[in-house]
Amino acid sequence: MCRVFAGQDPEGYRQINRSIRIDGHSTSIQLEATFWALLDEIADSQGLTTPKFISKLYDEAIEINGQIPNFASMLRTTCALYLRGHRPGVEEQMTPKREAA
């Protein structure tokens, strides 16, 4: 059973740094190649470039939560949610929007 995981291509867990502009500031994010590939796929599904998707995700998370203690970890869990079938748009359509008071 573990051979599937243990025998994976090491290229998938190679660390890659990308420079991205978030909230007007240039920052470097380090993730494994597999996560970058997933983020590219998610961004493409939204009709966005990966940097634009990440910037938008950051802005929305700040708006909702006020802070992001570990953004790289948030990106990894975003990929996990995506792989589990959570898709932007579908979830938003199912969740009733709150009316402004």
Side-chain angles (χ1 to χ4, degrees):
M1 177 206 55
C2 289
R3 294 183 69 73
V4 171
F5 305 117
Q8 67 182 291
D9 183 355
E11 181 62 24
Y13 53 85
R14 180 175 59 91
Q15 295 284 309
I16 297 175
N17 282 306
R18 287 194 188 175
S19 292
I20 295 182
R21 186 168 293 281
I22 297 176
D23 198 26
H25 303 287
S26 184
T27 189
S28 180
I29 299 172
Q30 183 179 52
L31 296 171
E32 295 76 13
T34 297
F35 289 113
W36 283 118
L38 283 166
L39 288 169
D40 291 343
E41 183 178 321
I42 296 167
D44 187 59
S45 76
Q46 296 300 297
L48 300 169
T49 64
T50 301
K52 184 69 176 170
F53 169 74
I54 290 173
S55 180
K56 187 172 182 171
L57 177 63
Y58 177 88
D59 290 344
E60 289 181 14
I62 290 293
E63 181 181 318
I64 293 167
N65 300 311
Q67 65 176 351
I68 305 168
N70 187 328
F71 191 55
S73 291
M74 182 187 169
L75 292 174
R76 287 183 188 93
T77 57
T78 295
C79 292
L81 287 170
Y82 179 77
L83 290 174
R84 288 184 170 172
H86 299 273
R87 300 290 192 264
V90 174
E91 303 245 332
E92 293 164 358
Q93 291 171 3
M94 294 171 56
T95 306
K97 296 189 182 202
R98 289 187 234 157
E99 303 256 342

